[in-house]
């Protein structure tokens, strides 16, 4: 009997992200091949993969720290820069006594 349970990190991704992951796997992890398929440069694919990695990591933080998750989501979506996000997260952790 097959049970379809989608992991939370995967359920939080957009359809386009899931399509990218599928292509990445089918290309045996070759970013060069993915760049050819999407007709973009290697650095563009690398950036997209890095952002996807951040989205997946972020989903692990949601349950534990909603504020940190919000800051990371803003950074991943280019609403704030990563340096600002790091400062906000660091200060938040200091206030909470986590760091």
């Amino acid at each position: 009997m097959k049970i379809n349970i989608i992991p939370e990190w995967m359920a939080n991704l957009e359809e386009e992200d899931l399509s990218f992951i599928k292509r990445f796997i089918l290309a045996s992890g070759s970013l060069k091949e993915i760049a050819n398929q999407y007709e973009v440069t290697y650095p563009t694919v690398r950036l997209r993969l890095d952002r996807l990695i951040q989205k997946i990591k972020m989903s692990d933080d949601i349950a534990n720290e909603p504020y940190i998750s919000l800051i990371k989501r803003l950074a991943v979506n280019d609403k704030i820069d990563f340096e600002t996000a790091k400062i906000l997260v660091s200060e938040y952790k200091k206030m909470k006594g986590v760091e």
Side-chain angles (χ1 to χ4, degrees):
M1 174 165 50
K2 184 177 177 182
I3 300 174
N4 290 328
I5 299 176
I6 298 173
E8 187 175 338
W9 68 266
M10 191 177 270
N12 292 329
L13 296 177
E14 297 172 15
E15 189 67 34
E16 187 177 319
D17 294 331
L18 295 172
S19 176
F20 180 85
I21 291 170
K22 181 178 177 181
R23 282 184 171 197
F24 181 71
I25 291 169
L26 293 174
S28 299
S30 170
L31 293 180
K32 184 177 178 182
E33 175 62 29
I34 296 297
N36 287 335
Q37 289 179 22
Y38 281 100
E39 298 180 348
V40 296
T41 64
Y42 177 92
T44 300
V45 173
R46 181 72 241 181
L47 179 62
R48 180 160 184 193
L49 180 61
D50 289 343
R51 289 188 179 187
L52 185 54
I53 290 168
Q54 289 301 315
K55 282 184 180 181
I56 292 169
K57 286 180 179 179
M58 180 181 59
S59 71
D60 292 339
D61 294 336
I62 289 174
N64 299 330
E65 291 290 342
Y67 177 78
I68 292 175
S69 171
L70 170 66
I71 297 303
K72 287 182 177 182
R73 190 168 49 252
L74 290 171
V76 166
N77 292 323
D78 286 330
K79 302 295 182 189
I80 61 174
D81 63 88
F82 281 103
E83 283 304 311
T84 302
K86 285 182 192 177
I87 292 168
L88 291 171
V89 168
S90 176
E91 291 301 313
Y92 175 76
K93 286 181 176 181
K94 285 179 189 174
M95 283 178 21
K96 301 268 297 188
V98 176
E99 265 185 342

